[in-house]
Each structure stands twice: as C-alpha cells, then as structure tokens.
Amino acid sequence: MGNLFSWFSSPVMENSCSEFSTPWREMSWSEREDTLEELRTFTSGNPNVGRLRILLNGPVGAGKSSFINSINNIFQGRPTIFAEADATGGKSFTKKYKTCFIENTDMPGSTYSFAFNDVMGLEGDHGVCTSDIINAMKGHIKEGYKFNPSSPLSQDDSYWYVSPSLEDQAHCLVTVVEANKIAIMNDDTARKLREIRLAANDLDIPHVVVVTKVDEFCPLVKEDLKRVYKCKLLKEKMEQLSSKVGIPMNRILSVKDYHEENILQDNVDELLLNALSQIVDYANEYVKRLAPRNQQSL
C-alpha cells in the first residue's frame, strides 16, 4: 500500500511542478547538427575495437527499446520501428539478447561505430536475472540468447561465449529509468540496479543513467522541453535516484523518447543526442584506457 499511496499522493499527480529561476544544469539547444555530425564520423580510440557496445538495462517499461528507436529515428531522419517496444509497460517485451546497429544511410550496408544491446527488463521474479546482465557486460552472452527469469545462463550452455574479446564486452552500461517511477521504485529493484552498478564498477565499465518520459513527469516540461533542467521536482527525483543506486548526479541524463510524434523535433533530438554523445565519450574513454594492453578474456 505504501507504493500505491506514493503514486497517488505524488507532487506530479497534483500537478504542482515549480521551477528554478535559472537552469540547474547547462544545456545547449543549438548544437543538434554539430553533435549529429560528430557521432556520424566517430571512430573508436582503440584499434582493437571497431564498434563501441552500449548495454541497456532497467525496470520493465522504462523505455529501453524506445530509447534505441528514438536514436535510430534521428540518424535515419524519420520515425522508425527498430527495436520492438511495448506500449503497455506491463511485462518486459524484450525476451532475447540482441545487438541493434545504427545504419549509415550515406554508405549502404554499413553501420556507425557504436551499437546497443537490449536486454529483458527487471520486474521482480519475472524479469532478467542480474547475473545475465553482468555476464552480458563481460561479453559471455551470445546473440539470440532467450532470457530465463528463473535461471541465468550457465557456462555449459551453447549461448555462453567462453573467451570474449574486448569488442564483445560492454563499453558503457546505461540504466534506463522512467521519471514517474523513481519515487515508487521498490527496494528490490533498487537493490538489483545497485548490484549491477557495483559489478560494472568492478570491471571499470562506465555507468550512465538515462531518465525517460520527462515530458510526462512535469506539465511545465511537456509545455516546453527546454525547461527540463529548471524543473525542481525532476532534480529532486534525480537526487533520490542518485542516492538509491549510488550514481553521481552528473551521470544522470534526461531525455524524451519519440512515442507519438510523426515528425522529428529539434528539442527532442537535442536531449537525445546530448545523452548519446556523453555515453559514447564515456565508452570511448574506457576502451582507450585498454588500448596499450593485450586483449584478455574476463
């Protein structure tokens, strides 16, 4: 009943968002084309890694697949259905481990130098096992593996990759969380996210949190997306998330995914590209640190 009461008594439901007089985080709203071009021409800083691997995880319905679709929309210049997403948010729609490559339309048949791995959502006893996410970070899970909520992948399974290279491993862990669900995140989900974060830290893999659906969280932001970093309540919830999961505030980024729009919007793209640019930078810093060393299996 505690979670249910939190939901109905939350400030968002009472429509009481208020603003700071100036943004609490600086954000440029005029760099879309420059950021997009930088990402299009990006190449890995490690000669042994041709493509950065970004591993997504998070609670069911948070918008992992929608985030991938939204990024793909920008690079394709139109709405796309790239990673299937479920509008109900009731159960995890992603059942298999898969890699999503972003096609370079200027060079048919080629893709950009970063890719996303999508996993089943965290949803209590019915979601992905945390050990599967950790093994995916290490590169041990092969493409097409079907997640089993009751039993993680074992080393004698045909989908277990025995000797993953650095390119097979994740180079940045991205946790996707819905803004409206931060306040009602249960202790079990927070514990799992914390466990995954600590494993990433042990592996020196950078970790970023992406907060989605910020427009649905605050009426002021829905009215004008540029007000996202002036919203007092959003900052408060991000601070709560930082405390629950143990991630610094500067690693928590806000986005609005495409879900009902038929045309692309510059402000939506700005937030998405800003987040992706930082994720790619963190991932590239990670592989660059490993460039002088010989590749070793985990």
Side-chain angles (χ1 to χ4, degrees):
M1 287 298 294
N3 283 348
L4 188 61
F5 178 79
S6 297
W7 172 257
F8 283 106
S9 63
S10 71
V12 179
M13 299 301 287
E14 294 174 5
N15 204 29
S16 60
C17 286
S18 59
E19 291 183 308
F20 294 105
S21 57
T22 58
W24 57 270
R25 176 179 288 173
E26 293 299 322
M27 171 75 195
S28 173
W29 297 95
S30 59
E31 296 183 358
R32 180 190 184 279
E33 295 305 319
D34 289 343
T35 306
L36 185 56
E37 182 60 22
E38 288 175 2
L39 289 165
R40 281 173 170 160
T41 58
F42 167 80
T43 56
S44 167
N46 186 326
N48 294 321
V49 178
R51 182 179 290 104
L52 299 181
R53 190 178 294 271
I54 301 163
L55 178 64
L56 303 184
N57 77 110
V60 62
K64 298 182 298 298
S65 298
S66 294
F67 178 71
I68 297 173
N69 283 334
S70 297
I71 295 296
N72 192 57
N73 289 353
I74 298 172
F75 283 89
Q76 307 310 314
R78 57 181 174 80
T80 62
I81 301 176
F82 188 50
E84 286 292 345
D86 184 14
T88 67
K91 295 288 184 180
S92 182
F93 204 63
T94 300
K95 304 296 184 183
K96 294 183 178 180
Y97 186 66
K98 59 182 178 181
T99 305
C100 299
F101 302 97
I102 307 296
E103 182 184 359
N104 184 346
T105 55
D106 293 331
M107 300 178 63
S110 67
T111 58
Y112 291 109
S113 299
F114 52 87
F116 299 93
N117 280 103
D118 199 5
V119 302
M120 189 179 195
L122 293 167
E123 49 177 313
D125 296 334
H126 304 290
V128 63
C129 297
T130 54
S131 57
D132 274 346
I133 296 177
I134 294 168
N135 283 324
M137 279 195 287
K138 295 178 178 180
H140 285 304
I141 297 184
K142 293 182 180 180
E143 190 83 4
Y145 165 66
K146 187 174 182 179
F147 295 103
N148 182 349
S150 61
S151 177
L153 181 67
S154 63
Q155 295 187 25
D156 57 358
D157 193 284
S158 61
Y159 280 98
W160 180 269
Y161 199 176
V162 177
S163 302
S165 68
L166 177 58
E167 187 159 13
D168 298 316
Q169 301 160 22
H171 308 126
C172 187
L173 173 71
V174 176
T175 298
V176 181
V177 178
E178 182 182 344
N180 265 326
K181 301 296 178 64
I182 294 174
I184 59 172
M185 180 184 292
N186 61 50
D187 291 342
D188 186 53
T189 298
R191 178 189 57 77
K192 289 179 179 179
L193 292 178
R194 176 69 176 164
E195 180 183 343
I196 295 164
R197 169 168 171 73
L198 291 175
N201 185 65
D202 288 341
L203 298 168
D204 291 326
I205 295 173
H207 181 207
V208 173
V209 172
V210 170
V211 176
T212 62
K213 305 181 184 180
V214 293
D215 58 317
E216 297 177 17
F217 176 79
C218 175
L220 302 176
V221 177
K222 188 175 185 65
E223 180 182 309
D224 181 1
L225 201 56
K226 290 184 178 181
R227 300 161 82 170
V228 62
Y229 289 123
K230 294 181 73 176
C231 177
K232 290 183 178 181
L233 189 59
L234 179 60
K235 185 174 187 288
E236 176 187 319
K237 298 309 174 188
M238 288 170 68
E239 288 170 342
Q240 290 179 7
L241 183 62
S242 174
S243 177
K244 283 183 178 181
V245 181
I247 187 167
M249 279 288 285
N250 63 359
R251 294 287 184 96
I252 304 179
L253 310 171
S254 301
V255 302
K256 166 183 159 44
D257 291 332
Y258 284 107
H259 58 92
E260 61 183 5
E261 298 82 2
N262 291 321
I263 59 174
L264 303 189
Q265 299 177 5
D266 285 350
N267 289 343
V268 176
D269 290 359
E270 290 278 8
L271 277 180
L272 288 163
L273 290 172
N274 177 268
L276 178 60
S277 179
Q278 293 187 59
I279 291 166
V280 168
D281 282 347
Y282 287 133
N284 197 40
E285 288 173 7
Y286 170 71
V287 299
K288 283 169 66 176
R289 288 198 301 270
L290 301 179
R293 307 173 188 175
N294 294 325
Q295 291 188 28
Q296 296 180 350
S297 299
L298 296 180

